[in-house]
Short mmCIF file of all heavy atoms in Angstrom, two decimals:
data_model
loop_
_atom_site.label_atom_id
_atom_site.label_comp_id
_atom_site.label_asym_id
_atom_site.label_seq_id
_atom_site.Cartn_x
_atom_site.Cartn_y
_atom_site.Cartn_z
N PHE A 124 113.22 87.40 101.34
CA PHE A 124 113.99 87.90 100.25
C PHE A 124 113.66 89.44 100.03
O PHE A 124 114.22 90.16 99.16
CB PHE A 124 113.61 87.26 98.92
CG PHE A 124 112.12 87.01 98.87
CD1 PHE A 124 111.29 87.97 98.37
CD2 PHE A 124 111.60 85.76 99.19
CE1 PHE A 124 109.90 87.79 98.41
CE2 PHE A 124 110.21 85.47 99.11
CZ PHE A 124 109.36 86.57 98.73
N GLY A 164 104.26 96.85 101.35
CA GLY A 164 103.11 96.39 102.10
C GLY A 164 102.30 95.36 101.33
O GLY A 164 102.54 95.06 100.11
N GLU A 165 101.37 94.69 102.07
CA GLU A 165 100.53 93.62 101.45
C GLU A 165 99.14 94.32 101.20
O GLU A 165 98.38 94.45 102.20
CB GLU A 165 100.50 92.40 102.41
CG GLU A 165 99.44 91.36 102.08
CD GLU A 165 99.43 90.93 100.59
OE1 GLU A 165 100.44 90.55 100.05
OE2 GLU A 165 98.28 91.10 99.97
N SER A 196 98.96 93.09 93.48
CA SER A 196 99.85 91.96 93.69
C SER A 196 99.73 91.53 95.16
O SER A 196 99.89 92.36 96.05
CB SER A 196 101.32 92.46 93.41
OG SER A 196 102.18 91.46 93.58
N SER A 219 102.35 86.59 94.23
CA SER A 219 103.73 86.39 94.52
C SER A 219 103.89 84.96 95.06
O SER A 219 103.61 84.75 96.32
CB SER A 219 104.22 87.45 95.58
OG SER A 219 104.19 88.68 95.00
N HIS A 221 106.55 82.26 94.29
CA HIS A 221 107.95 82.16 94.63
C HIS A 221 108.37 80.71 95.08
O HIS A 221 109.60 80.34 95.09
CB HIS A 221 108.50 83.12 95.66
CG HIS A 221 108.14 84.52 95.32
ND1 HIS A 221 108.38 85.08 94.06
CD2 HIS A 221 107.60 85.55 96.12
CE1 HIS A 221 107.93 86.30 94.16
NE2 HIS A 221 107.48 86.60 95.29
N GLU A 261 103.99 85.40 90.02
CA GLU A 261 105.31 86.06 90.09
C GLU A 261 106.27 85.02 90.81
O GLU A 261 105.95 84.48 91.90
CB GLU A 261 105.29 87.28 90.94
CG GLU A 261 104.53 88.47 90.18
CD GLU A 261 104.20 89.61 90.99
OE1 GLU A 261 103.29 89.43 91.93
OE2 GLU A 261 104.78 90.58 90.80
N LEU A 263 110.13 84.55 91.90
CA LEU A 263 111.49 85.17 92.05
C LEU A 263 112.45 83.99 92.03
O LEU A 263 112.35 83.02 92.76
CB LEU A 263 111.48 85.81 93.47
CG LEU A 263 112.60 86.57 93.92
CD1 LEU A 263 112.88 87.77 92.96
CD2 LEU A 263 112.27 87.04 95.32
N PHE A 295 116.13 88.30 90.98
CA PHE A 295 116.36 88.74 92.31
C PHE A 295 117.18 90.02 92.35
O PHE A 295 118.32 90.10 91.91
CB PHE A 295 116.99 87.57 93.04
CG PHE A 295 117.30 87.97 94.51
CD1 PHE A 295 116.27 88.03 95.51
CD2 PHE A 295 118.57 88.28 94.89
CE1 PHE A 295 116.55 88.45 96.76
CE2 PHE A 295 118.87 88.66 96.15
CZ PHE A 295 117.81 88.70 97.18
N ASN A 296 116.68 91.02 93.01
CA ASN A 296 117.45 92.34 93.25
C ASN A 296 118.11 92.23 94.59
O ASN A 296 117.50 91.74 95.63
CB ASN A 296 116.50 93.48 93.21
CG ASN A 296 115.82 93.61 91.87
OD1 ASN A 296 116.48 93.48 90.89
ND2 ASN A 296 114.57 93.95 91.93
N CYS A 337 111.50 96.22 92.64
CA CYS A 337 110.62 95.37 93.50
C CYS A 337 111.50 94.72 94.64
O CYS A 337 112.62 94.30 94.39
CB CYS A 337 110.11 94.15 92.66
SG CYS A 337 108.97 94.64 91.45
N GLY A 338 110.88 94.73 95.76
CA GLY A 338 111.56 94.15 96.96
C GLY A 338 112.65 94.98 97.50
O GLY A 338 113.30 94.64 98.47
N1 SAH B 1 103.01 92.25 99.16
C1 SAH B 1 102.68 92.16 97.81
C2 SAH B 1 102.92 93.49 97.12
C3 SAH B 1 104.32 93.79 97.09
S1 SAH B 1 104.87 93.43 95.52
C4 SAH B 1 103.34 90.96 97.14
O1 SAH B 1 104.26 90.44 97.79
O2 SAH B 1 102.85 90.57 96.11
C5 SAH B 1 106.58 93.34 95.55
C6 SAH B 1 107.00 92.33 94.54
O3 SAH B 1 108.44 92.34 94.59
C7 SAH B 1 106.57 90.90 94.93
O4 SAH B 1 106.27 90.12 93.77
C8 SAH B 1 107.75 90.39 95.64
O5 SAH B 1 107.79 89.10 95.71
C9 SAH B 1 108.87 90.99 94.83
N2 SAH B 1 110.15 90.97 95.49
C10 SAH B 1 110.32 90.99 96.81
N3 SAH B 1 111.68 91.03 97.11
C11 SAH B 1 112.34 91.00 95.90
C12 SAH B 1 113.71 91.08 95.56
N4 SAH B 1 114.66 91.13 96.44
N5 SAH B 1 114.01 91.07 94.19
C13 SAH B 1 113.01 91.09 93.30
N6 SAH B 1 111.71 91.02 93.61
C14 SAH B 1 111.30 90.99 94.93
#
Side-chain angles (χ1 to χ4, degrees):
F124 44 80
E165 170 45 57
S196 176
S219 294
H221 310 313
E261 295 165 291
L263 185 61
F295 175 75
N296 294 322
C337 294

